Amino acid sequence: MTLDSKDSYVFEPAPRAAVPVVGGGLFPVRRVFCIARNYAAHAREMGGDPSREAPFFFTKPADAILPIKTGEVGEFPYPQASQDVHHELELVVALGAGGVDLSPEEAAKCIWGYAVGLDMTRRDLQAEAKAKGRPWDIAKAFDASAPISPIVPAAGEVLRAGEIRLDVNGALRQRGDLADMIWSIPEIIAFFSRYYCLQPGDLIFTGTPEGVGPVAIGDRLHGAVGGVGAFDLTVVPR
């Protein structure tokens, strides 16, 4: 719906969520989609069956984004109402174009850039929601639940391989390769376009490799994806 230009807000709206771009500028965030269990080993560690399971997903609000600037150490505030918060390192795809019912070939042309992100999860609340057959929103869509590095422009490249790795306090926690993804990046974008009219500004978190685990206040996280970038993050009290 488009509002009449004569209408005015009853209070000042919040600033638009945005992510810094490598080389300058800001990428305005519209929506955040997250594909689940897109690495076979992680699907198995979460009790799924990668040989038969069709894609499924969840979303986060745009203001769940926690941008981490180049050269800085981000701060992730440990969320309230949880005693078991887990890290899930992911490649993030930023869309510069969109559409409906895209083919994988058309979907590939929508890629604007890439970033390194974390899908932070209140695992105890997720387990409770699963047990009761409820949605995962309370576990996935909380404040600052999507830390993200600056976006690097794709320059027409479709990533199909590259190391994805997370260290916590200097020790390896997660390690995989983008080539291990069950669904490729163009296939993921095409999948979402069957259910939404994708638009410029949409972000897609593409799944996490095995090794997800808990974080604690004071932990230092270093995440990286080969050919994309890296970030450093500290878990702090709220």
Side-chain angles (χ1 to χ4, degrees), residues 50-237:
S51 67
R52 292 187 292 115
E53 192 167 42
F56 69 100
F57 65 96
F58 53 92
T59 63
K60 293 176 182 278
D63 60 7
I65 290 292
L66 176 64
I68 305 170
K69 296 180 180 179
T70 301
E72 295 186 2
V73 178
E75 293 188 343
F76 169 72
Y78 199 98
Q80 69 270 37
S82 179
Q83 304 299 318
D84 189 23
V85 177
H86 282 207
H87 57 74
E88 299 190 16
L89 184 69
E90 313 206 6
L91 171 72
V92 182
V93 178
L95 301 187
V100 176
D101 289 330
L102 301 171
S103 68
E105 293 74 22
E106 293 169 329
K109 297 177 182 178
C110 296
I111 301 169
W112 192 91
Y114 301 102
V116 188
L118 281 170
D119 165 26
M120 302 302 289
T121 303
R122 295 194 279 207
R123 191 71 76 202
D124 47 358
L125 301 187
Q126 184 187 38
E128 181 181 345
K130 285 181 177 181
K132 296 179 179 179
R134 294 176 177 173
W136 295 0
D137 299 62
I138 196 169
K140 293 286 192 177
F142 57 92
D143 298 340
S145 61
I148 188 171
S149 74
I151 295 172
V152 57
E157 181 182 9
V158 178
L159 293 180
R160 301 189 184 278
E163 183 185 50
I164 177 169
R165 174 180 178 131
L166 179 73
D167 296 315
V168 179
N169 300 325
L172 177 64
R173 282 281 189 91
Q174 291 186 263
R175 186 177 186 180
D177 195 283
L178 301 180
D180 299 332
M181 289 197 294
I182 297 169
W183 303 94
S184 70
I185 293 169
E187 288 172 334
I188 292 170
I189 298 171
F191 166 75
F192 279 115
S193 77
R194 289 162 49 192
Y195 300 96
Y196 299 89
C197 179
L198 297 178
Q199 298 286 340
D202 289 339
L203 296 180
I204 298 177
F205 282 60
T206 59
T208 192
E210 66 179 318
V212 300
V215 298
I217 293 172
D219 282 349
R220 175 76 172 258
L221 284 66
H222 176 79
V225 175
V228 175
F231 66 79
D232 289 284
L233 182 73
T234 298
V235 182
V236 300

